[in-house]
Amino acid sequence: MAGKEGEEEVYVASIDQGTTSTRFIVYDRHARPVASHQLEFKQHYPEAGWVEHDPMEIMESVRACMANALEKAAADGLNVSAGLKAIGITNQRETTVMWSKSTGLPLYNAIVWMDVRTSSICRRLEGELAGGRTHFVETCGLPISTYFSALKLLWLMENVDAVKDAVRAGDALFGTIDTWLIWNLTGGIGGKDGKQIGQHVTDCSNASRTMLMNLKALDWDKPTLKALGIPADILPKIISNSEKIGLVADGFPLAGVPISGCLGDQHAAMLGQLCQKGEAKSTYGTGAFILLNTGEEVTQSSHGLLSTIAYKLGPSAPTNYALEGSIAIAGAAVQWLRDSLGIIRSAAEIEELAESVQDSGGIYFVPAFNGLFAPWWRDDARGICIGITRFTNKGHIARAVLESMCFQVNDVLSSMHKDAGEAGEVKSAEGEFLLRVDGGATVNNLLMQIQADLLGSPVVRPADIETTAIGAAYAAGLAAGVWTKEQIFAGLHKENTTVFRPKLDEAHRKKRGDSWYKAVSRSFDLADLSL
């Protein structure tokens, strides 16, 4: 893999479209980041529990990040435009967009993955369908929940006149954020004649989060579409995670460069962490997402986890599956301390504030702002902070917020151990289960130490914590022939890792876990408090 003197510059880039920000990162032939740009965009909260994004603003943020990253690269003397071989896309999953085939404009704002407006539709379906909440689990691996795209799509079809009319007229297109980006980047409605030239596709990892894809067939499940009344012609074509999708259209930076990789953010992080069968990773972002690669077999969970795709690295490559536990609120709780309470001025301040106290002083914080995801699946839960006394100060609350992320990750890993069993996990040479971690919040050393203490296992942080973007770059570079699968999994980008080892004794760990369960149980059945 070593570069030779005078050999051509080779680059691969990633569009990383997240819940609160968009980034464009350029990597060299050794998968090292050489230029990047990031922009936050507006969150819309029209009602309690509702979260929306403006799809046009997201598209503009992608365009701006591409242009700015290229400018930075040029300032450093890099000719990225000439050497860029492929672009990969990774994105916030489940977030749902409906747009017009003829105008290219959104028919409504994007409904974000954590939005809970569909809870009444969930209750209705649970009552109508023979299998109740788990009616579709056998085919798609997912329970009926506000989390998944199908429910958001149903809400749009039932409540938004522009969507109803477009569906009736055959003018509606559905997509998750990857689909919206690819459709626009590959040409959208095209020229003046208004003919669509954009590619209307999604990859199998994003499709696996809609509740509409058959996990084994990797295609839209016809009985599910019929049961929900969703027309197949509005859905994109499902492709693998690593194949040539289309070229960036004129009018965008990097026109003519192939888009050749696409994965939902958590699947991209799995690839970025090089997780093979039996290996797990936890990504700490707005939410937290823990995935365990279960190999080429679908593993059904009996402990509140989801069966999903890990990755499929080419049209004829084998499909790797995963068990996933999704936590709605992780880093978002830190943003809440900053933006809503003003306890900290920046997210980085929380580590120092939490370190100002020795422990959380008996405070337990359950960030069930919009209910709880895995393994509880309680959309009637709401956030609570318990154990408050006159002794409590903001340091205790800050520390309890950090601990809440770690306790939630523990809950998911405990379920994974039960579902996959000892045989389903790879251990280190010392016989330890290792948790690979990534995402913005992992720069917080205290958070990582708390995670190791409460988990009772080592936590391993890579030198480059932005594994989501590198995963999308690997998939794109693989399809473009920049790297082979063997080179990627041999550790193309292996650098120093930091290992956090547990320091808490077992008795103390168990006592803290029991207290956390008590706190979680207190958060249930509180959704009607605001009525």
Side-chain angles (χ1 to χ4, degrees):
M1 293 299 295
K4 298 186 186 75
E5 198 63 43
E7 71 182 6
E8 67 162 330
E9 291 181 60
V10 171
Y11 302 103
V12 177
S14 283
I15 295 167
D16 183 355
Q17 204 301 297
T19 309
T20 56
S21 70
T22 300
R23 291 181 309 165
F24 187 75
I25 304 181
V26 180
Y27 297 91
D28 66 13
R29 68 166 67 242
H30 309 290
R32 291 181 299 234
V34 294
S36 68
H37 194 75
Q38 181 169 6
L39 286 171
E40 286 198 0
F41 57 88
K42 189 172 179 184
Q43 309 293 306
H44 299 266
Y45 306 105
E47 291 186 30
W50 293 31
V51 190
E52 296 177 0
H53 293 156
D54 176 353
M56 300 302 282
E57 186 187 1
I58 285 178
M59 206 56 242
E60 280 312 304
S61 72
V62 169
R63 184 193 296 271
C65 285
M66 290 169 80
N68 283 295
L70 288 178
E71 274 181 31
K72 290 178 182 177
D76 289 338
L78 305 177
N79 190 358
V80 170
S81 299
L84 191 65
K85 303 300 180 193
I87 295 172
I89 290 176
T90 181
N91 58 288
Q92 52 166 320
R93 304 171 303 166
E94 297 99 12
T95 297
T96 297
V97 190
M98 287 288 278
W99 68 98
S100 160
K101 200 187 294 186
S102 56
T103 69
L105 297 174
L107 299 165
Y108 192 79
N109 271 347
I111 301 181
V112 180
W113 56 271
M114 67 179 82
D115 183 288
V116 294
R117 75 185 67 188
T118 58
S119 53
S120 60
I121 298 178
C122 293
R123 297 295 86 77
R124 184 183 83 211
L125 291 174
E126 286 167 18
E128 288 173 359
L129 297 167
R133 194 170 144 269
T134 57
H135 186 83
F136 301 113
V137 164
E138 197 60 37
T139 51
C140 72
L142 310 176
I144 292 170
S145 163
T146 58
Y147 187 16
F148 306 115
S149 312
L151 285 305
K152 302 176 197 299
L153 172 54
L154 284 179
W155 187 90
L156 288 164
M157 288 168 61
E158 290 175 13
N159 293 280
V160 179
D161 288 340
V163 171
K164 287 183 206 171
D165 295 345
V167 169
R168 210 176 292 121
D171 186 43
L173 293 176
F174 157 84
T176 40
I177 293 293
D178 56 307
T179 306
W180 169 245
L181 296 185
I182 290 168
W183 190 82
N184 280 286
L185 284 166
T186 56
I189 57 167
K192 290 174 186 153
D193 58 359
K195 262 195 169 154
Q196 177 196 329
I197 58 168
Q199 298 291 316
H200 189 220
V201 298
T202 187
D203 76 90
C204 54
S205 69
N206 274 296
S208 78
R209 314 297 297 182
T210 59
M211 218 176 77
L212 301 174
M213 187 186 84
N214 185 303
L215 267 186
K216 292 180 180 149
L218 302 189
D219 203 357
W220 303 118
D221 190 66
K222 289 187 175 66
T224 303
L225 297 182
K226 189 177 176 191
L228 297 175
I230 291 172
D233 60 3
I234 69 172
L235 302 176
K237 177 187 170 194
I238 300 173
I239 58 171
S240 78
N241 300 122
S242 180
E243 61 182 89
K244 187 173 171 185
I245 300 166
L247 303 180
V248 175
D250 290 343
F252 283 99
L254 299 169
V257 174
I259 298 169
S260 58
C262 184
L263 308 94
D265 51 10
Q266 303 316 316
H267 315 270
M270 270 213 113
L271 182 56
Q273 287 274 31
L274 309 179
C275 283
Q276 300 190 76
K277 185 180 178 181
E279 297 177 331
K281 69 90 199 167
S282 179
T283 299
Y284 302 75
T286 306
F289 303 89
I290 305 93
L291 280 85
L292 173 73
N293 188 327
T294 58
E296 293 177 36
E297 296 298 318
V298 178
T299 301
Q300 294 289 359
S301 172
S302 52
H303 297 92
L305 302 180
L306 311 174
S307 304
T308 195
I309 300 279
Y311 45 71
K312 180 180 172 68
L313 299 177
S316 56
T319 305
N320 268 229
Y321 292 95
L323 277 173
E324 174 173 340
S326 317
I327 294 160
I329 303 293
V334 178
Q335 288 176 319
W336 175 75
L337 285 184
R338 180 192 70 189
D339 300 339
S340 298
L341 296 192
I343 285 178
I344 50 175
R345 288 191 305 275
S346 71
E349 280 180 28
I350 193 170
E351 185 170 6
E352 187 182 347
L353 182 56
E355 280 184 322
S356 70
V357 293
Q358 278 192 309
D359 54 44
S360 59
I363 295 289
Y364 286 82
F365 177 78
V366 182
F369 295 166
N370 286 25
L372 289 170
F373 286 174
W376 312 101
W377 298 105
R378 296 287 299 244
D379 60 16
D380 63 343
R382 289 296 177 268
I384 60 165
C385 187
I386 62 171
I388 299 168
T389 66
R390 281 296 299 272
F391 171 67
T392 305
N393 65 38
K394 60 186 181 181
H396 295 119
I397 291 171
R399 197 170 184 113
V401 166
L402 294 184
E403 288 180 351
S404 75
M405 294 190 216
C406 302
F407 278 123
Q408 291 182 97
V409 169
N410 277 17
D411 291 343
V412 168
L413 284 166
S414 169
S415 294
M416 274 179 183
H417 292 310
K418 290 169 188 161
D419 279 327
E422 287 290 309
E425 294 169 354
V426 170
K427 305 245 167 123
S428 70
E430 293 77 35
E432 298 173 304
F433 172 76
L434 301 176
L435 178 65
R436 293 162 174 76
V437 298
D438 54 70
T442 60
V443 297
N444 186 322
N445 290 328
L446 177 61
L447 177 72
M448 295 296 93
Q449 186 57 52
I450 291 170
Q451 185 67 78
D453 285 342
L454 296 179
L455 183 60
S457 295
V459 166
V460 183
R461 181 177 66 194
D464 181 357
I465 58 171
E466 302 302 349
T467 57
T468 305
I470 190 78
Y474 284 158
L478 178 64
V482 175
W483 303 305
T484 65
K485 189 178 171 187
E486 290 69 32
Q487 285 170 330
I488 290 168
F489 280 98
L492 173 64
H493 186 47
K494 254 189 188 148
E495 287 186 9
N496 297 334
T497 57
T498 308
V499 180
F500 297 86
R501 297 195 168 276
K503 297 173 182 171
L504 202 62
D505 64 84
E506 190 57 42
H508 196 179
R509 186 178 300 120
K510 183 176 184 316
K511 172 75 178 73
R512 298 296 316 277
D514 290 345
S515 299
W516 165 254
Y517 286 129
K518 189 186 285 187
V520 169
S521 69
R522 300 287 198 278
S523 74
F524 298 161
D525 195 24
L526 298 179
D528 56 358
L529 290 183
S530 63
L531 298 179

